[in-house]
Amino acid sequence: MSVIKQEEEYFRYLQIERQFSKHTQSVYRRTLRQFKDWKGKEFVSWESCQSEDMRDWLYQSAKEELSSATIRLRFSALRSFYRFLSKRHGLKKNPMIGISLPKKNTNLPVFLTEKQMLELLELPYQISPPANAPAWLPYRDAAILELFYSSGMRLSELVALNVGSIDYHLQGVRVIGKGRKERVLPVGIPALAALEKYVEMAGLAVSEPLFVSRIGTRLSGRAVQYMLNKYVDLSSIPFSISPHKLRHTFATHILDAGADLRSVQELLGHSSLSTTQIYTHVTRARMAEIYKKTHPRA
């Protein structure tokens, strides 16, 4: 089988069987192309590659001062691809076996304080919208911010919502997460009120996208980030904010309030508890900081 057919079969496998997101598929596809470009004319086939090639590329990646996360992602893509070739095409020698990767950095998540979060939630109501903007626009923005903070959902999950995804009676929202796994997230009263007001003002039907642009199309992730940047620039928050940082804020605040780690794992849709455990480092770091500031003999 040709190189191109092997790769296309692999990406169909990622899409249909593994149900990887389009973003992940794109990253993996780019990784395979980058490796072939690095090998240049020496690249003959995937079967002909050796462990030494993988180590050399790892060394080259480090020389380019790429982050350990980027290097790990590159090799996760290659490792996944070679496992596929071994299982589906009987590849006898996997060059990824025995390759050790740089340790994963454990940078603590950045999050907002409760005061900063409350300031951000109020801004859509305080800023005058553009003259040509629909009347519902500030209410849409407020509903987005409230929903992020109330549920901790991912950006991809939020923009995929339809009006019918919200259950006002059960006070929850149905989302489709990574791997097409469905979960129902509880939503607080302020967020539900903001959503109900926005949907009513925008005149949206149950089957329509929940968050829409001025012309009525489904809002993109890029547009949500642009909106968030606009409000952060108008706030007293001294650093940039992404939807993922709002997710960090949600998790940190409910842990601080006494939520257990397993519950937070389910709410965030993490497949592994180890992914959620980074938030315990955040709360410990905060406790240590408070201790140093307040204890007379710290």
Side-chain angles (χ1 to χ4, degrees):
M1 182 179 291
S2 69
V3 169
I4 294 177
K5 287 185 177 180
Q6 284 178 335
E7 293 173 5
E8 291 309 314
E9 185 179 336
Y10 169 64
F11 289 114
R12 284 196 298 272
Y13 159 76
L14 292 184
Q15 178 184 4
I16 299 172
E17 297 186 38
R18 297 297 305 278
Q19 296 188 330
F20 277 20
S21 68
K22 290 183 179 179
H23 173 71
T24 301
Q25 293 177 53
S26 176
V27 170
Y28 278 28
R29 187 182 292 273
R30 183 168 62 248
T31 297
L32 298 190
R33 185 179 66 249
Q34 288 171 334
F35 178 81
K36 289 190 296 184
D37 290 344
W38 173 77
K39 284 285 290 180
K41 294 181 180 179
E42 294 181 7
F43 182 86
V44 178
S45 67
W46 290 107
E47 290 84 355
S48 66
C49 295
Q50 305 294 317
S51 295
E52 290 74 16
D53 297 319
M54 305 305 166
R55 293 192 180 93
D56 288 345
W57 199 40
L58 175 62
Y59 176 69
Q60 181 63 36
S61 300
K63 279 181 63 179
E64 293 173 4
E65 298 185 353
L66 297 178
S67 68
S68 61
T70 299
I71 296 172
R72 291 179 64 86
L73 186 59
R74 281 184 170 186
F75 278 77
S76 292
L78 286 171
R79 180 174 289 150
S80 170
F81 180 55
Y82 272 107
R83 283 175 178 168
F84 169 81
L85 291 180
S86 297
K87 291 180 179 178
R88 296 294 175 91
H89 295 283
L91 180 70
K92 294 181 179 179
K93 189 175 181 180
N94 185 342
M96 294 303 299
I97 293 176
I99 301 293
S100 57
L101 301 181
K103 291 184 178 179
K104 187 177 181 180
N105 292 332
T106 53
N107 296 327
L108 296 182
V110 175
F111 59 92
L112 300 178
T113 65
E114 289 186 38
K115 183 178 178 181
Q116 290 170 333
M117 191 67 230
L118 291 174
E119 178 189 358
L120 190 62
L121 292 173
E122 290 297 323
L123 275 173
Y125 301 118
Q126 298 171 353
I127 307 302
S128 299
N132 60 344
W136 49 259
L137 191 65
Y139 296 89
R140 181 204 67 184
D141 295 351
I144 289 173
L145 295 174
E146 287 280 6
L147 190 56
F148 268 135
Y149 184 48
S150 184
S151 67
M153 68 174 59
R154 300 178 178 93
L155 173 61
S156 59
E157 295 168 345
L158 181 132
V159 296
L161 294 174
N162 291 330
V163 176
S165 303
I166 307 296
D167 190 321
Y168 296 99
H169 178 68
L170 295 178
Q171 298 182 2
V173 56
R174 185 180 298 102
V175 301
I176 305 297
K178 290 186 175 180
R180 304 296 300 170
K181 293 180 180 178
E182 181 180 299
R183 67 190 193 282
V184 178
L185 302 176
V187 179
I189 298 299
L192 288 171
L195 285 163
E196 191 169 22
K197 180 68 175 178
Y198 155 64
V199 169
E200 179 185 354
M201 291 191 67
L204 299 174
V206 173
S207 60
E208 290 184 297
L210 177 59
F211 295 115
V212 297
S213 67
R214 298 182 189 189
I215 61 173
T217 58
R218 185 182 295 274
L219 204 63
S220 67
R222 188 185 297 272
V224 173
Q225 180 64 67
Y226 178 83
M227 177 271 291
L228 189 53
N229 291 343
K230 178 184 70 174
Y231 290 119
V232 170
D233 288 343
L234 295 169
S235 75
S236 63
I237 299 168
F239 48 84
S240 62
I241 293 296
S242 65
H244 207 68
K245 287 178 183 175
L246 297 183
R247 183 168 157 88
H248 292 328
T249 300
F250 160 82
T252 303
H253 288 185
I254 62 173
L255 276 171
D256 282 347
D260 65 275
L261 205 58
R262 283 288 183 187
S263 297
V264 176
Q265 177 192 359
E266 291 184 17
L267 290 170
L268 293 177
H270 287 162
S271 57
S272 170
L273 186 63
S274 61
T275 309
T276 317
Q277 283 175 333
I278 191 169
Y279 295 107
T280 63
H281 300 309
V282 174
T283 52
R284 287 172 191 162
R286 291 186 71 192
M287 284 189 288
E289 184 180 348
I290 293 170
Y291 176 80
K292 289 178 182 178
K293 288 181 178 179
T294 59
H295 198 285
R297 297 178 69 84

